[in-house]
Amino acid sequence: MSGTINNTINSIECCEAGMQKKTVFQGSGPILKKTKLSISAHQVKDNNEASECQDKFDDMPDCLILHILSFMETKEAVRTCVLSKRWRNLWTSILCLNFNSKSFHRLADFKKFVLWVLSRRDSSLVKVLTYCRASVDYATDQNLFNKVIDHATSHGIEEIRINLRAKICGSPPVDIPLSLFNCQSLKRLELKNCHPTNVSLPLTCEPMKKLLHLEHFTVDPDRAEFSNSFACLANLFGFTTLTTLSLSNMTLSCTGIDSLNPFVNCVNLKNLHLSKMSFKSELVPKDFVISAPRLNHLTLTCNRFKCKIVVAAPQLINFSYLYFSPCAFFEFSIPSLDDLTFDIREPNNQSEEPHQRRGQMTSHGSINMIRGHHDTKLSFSTAEVTCGIAVMPEKEERSSISKWKSLNLHAGSTYKIFINNLDHITAYFRRFSQNEDFEIVTV
Amino acid sequence: MAAEKSSIKIITLIAADGSVFEVEPNIVKEMKTVQSYIDELDQNTVSIPLPNVFGNDLAMIIEYCKKHASEEETKEAKEEFDFEFVKRMKSDDKLRLLQAASYLNMESFLQFMAKAIAAEIENQSVEFVRDYFQIESDFTPEEEAELRKENEWAFK
């Protein structure tokens, strides 16, 4: 540890740009300068050889330090104020606020800390807000929550992640501040463990959100206006601008509708992930239609839909399905299945679903692919099926089946066979069909 | 313009210590500083001096870029690579690479390095961080005590 704080690495161009406060680092990239660089390069080299020690942060532009701090919890970032005079007020300009009550012994301390941080942060922008308040009881500090959200939404927030987990039981009630719904700068919103009490608010103007992730988000199905929870969510958050929608661990209701088509207004939706979703038992639609004009990726994981799932997404390129409900029934209404990748799996007993019984023989239900247009070709690049029933429509022409590049079959986790033509596939299924779970329909 | 760009086969990068790296054009796409330099030139072969990046660091950056530019590698393989990549680095390396990433204007690599550094100093004592990065405190003990009191909620 020699005290050589004689830095010569001063030509990192970002220093110049970075010293100006409030520079957004992504945009403030350096430009290759051809002059003077060769001289400084030698200095850098010599200096490096002469001494390996130097105050490393001394030649680091503020923008880079802020970048590092933005990956930490705000509490940790604030603690850097005592490092040296240079660091004293650096944290007040961080672009990412990350509050987590778990880092505090008492919720009272957490509250004081959050309010203190907000009061210290003049007009600096906030790009990302992470707010996790795990309460011991079934209560949310509404006042604090409002202050944090209001601060973020008035400082150019782009991404918000909220988790209000109660220790004893899931989703505590919360009034979602109006400013959150009307925030125009917001692009990504994640809400976990929330039970909003003011969900009947009409959407005045839809923000340009791109991503919405809701998890353990309770929509009260007993109240009259929630006869269709999806419509309620769409009304609340606005679905039309979304490119990614992810819903997880939610119980929904749907009454009086034969065919539920909740995503029909998602005109920009490219990615849809539904996991651990279920309908309230007696309130089940006959058909659950997933119809979105631009949908590319559809992931269904461990949902309990006791109804037919109709996928009508003309631009679908990837369909991933993790089994849960034994009576899931699919219908694909897609003009072309060319280059569509199917990935159908059962819960892996190690990772995906811990409550799935080990070694249990399951069938993922029938996957019935009915094609609306008979002149299109069925060509899977990969179809991954876990021992179950594969029902192909009888109208299917043999020639189109032969276009299957490969069928990857897993029986449990032990078999992995690649089969190139239908005879082998049926032979394969026959071999494993002593078990009553299997039914083989050949073309 | 597009035709000119595609005609470039190999790009030569010259590090501060004079070591030379020949890479494919798709490897340097992430390096916006280099890419903008290439875009300005009409030549078929390009040789670019990078006087602020050392050979060792440049080799690591290229290794990273190659892995991440590869379409054959799965997401898992890339994550595994990232994990190992960070593991074999000392804190010095990370700081140098962060600065190099900034100089080369590599957005995702910059994020990656900043995250790795943040993980190292997070949840460490002030003394540890100061020592680790060799920051000399220019506060008097009284000033520091005052600051700690002022920001007491962060030190609870």
Side-chain angles (χ1 to χ4, degrees), chain A residues 1-3 5 9 11-14 25-26 28-34 37-38 40-42 44-45 48 52-57 59-61 63-65 67-69 71-76 78-88 91 103-106 108-109 112-113 116 120, chain B residues 16-18 32-34 36-37 40-41 48-52 54 91-92 95-96 98-105 107 110-115 117-119 121-127 129-140 143-144 146-148 150-156:
Chain A
M1 303 282 147
S2 86
I5 312 172
I9 315 180
S11 63
I12 302 284
E13 304 301 316
C14 193
F25 24 83
Q26 279 91 344
S28 68
I31 300 150
L32 189 74
K33 290 187 181 168
K34 287 163 230 168
L37 286 179
S38 53
S40 61
H42 286 297
V44 169
K45 191 184 172 192
N48 206 52
E52 297 205 337
C53 294
Q54 42 192 262
D55 186 335
K56 291 164 204 162
F57 274 124
D59 57 317
M60 184 84 81
C63 68
L64 287 185
I65 294 177
H67 208 154
I68 295 169
L69 295 185
F71 284 101
M72 303 200 267
E73 233 183 81
T74 303
K75 184 186 180 185
E76 292 292 320
V78 174
R79 285 157 65 97
T80 62
C81 71
V82 296
L83 290 176
S84 72
K85 282 181 178 156
R86 182 189 174 194
W87 288 73
R88 184 173 175 164
W91 71 267
S103 305
F104 296 82
H105 290 302
R106 299 185 312 142
D109 290 342
K112 281 171 184 158
F113 174 72
W116 157 253
R120 285 294 312 274
Chain B
D17 50 21
K32 294 210 185 82
T33 306
V34 175
S36 62
Y37 188 88
E40 282 171 22
L41 293 173
I48 299 163
L50 297 171
N52 287 331
F54 291 107
S91 63
D92 279 34
L95 291 167
R96 275 202 328 277
L98 181 79
Q99 298 198 338
S102 167
Y103 166 69
L104 294 169
N105 199 0
E107 200 176 305
L110 186 75
Q111 300 263 1
F112 176 52
M113 281 293 105
K115 212 171 178 172
I117 295 165
I121 60 176
E122 197 166 25
N123 295 317
Q124 302 288 359
S125 70
V126 170
E127 292 71 21
V129 178
R130 212 181 261 154
D131 189 51
Y132 202 78
F133 295 104
Q134 294 155 36
I135 298 166
E136 298 235 348
S137 175
D138 43 11
F139 290 121
T140 63
E143 281 174 326
E144 190 180 324
E146 181 65 27
L147 255 181
R148 278 178 187 260
E150 196 187 320
N151 297 286
E152 62 179 320
W153 307 114
F155 293 96
K156 287 241 171 185

Side-chain angles (χ1 to χ4, degrees), chain A residues 78-123:
Chain A
V78 174
R79 285 157 65 97
T80 62
C81 71
V82 296
L83 290 176
S84 72
K85 282 181 178 156
R86 182 189 174 194
W87 288 73
R88 184 173 175 164
N89 291 315
L90 256 182
W91 71 267
T92 56
S93 308
I94 43 174
L95 292 168
C96 303
L97 290 179
N98 184 340
F99 299 120
N100 192 336
S101 66
K102 282 186 183 150
S103 305
F104 296 82
H105 290 302
R106 299 185 312 142
L107 280 174
D109 290 342
F110 171 69
K111 180 174 187 167
K112 281 171 184 158
F113 174 72
V114 172
L115 293 175
W116 157 253
V117 168
L118 295 186
S119 73
R120 285 294 312 274
R121 286 183 56 90
D122 45 57
S123 58

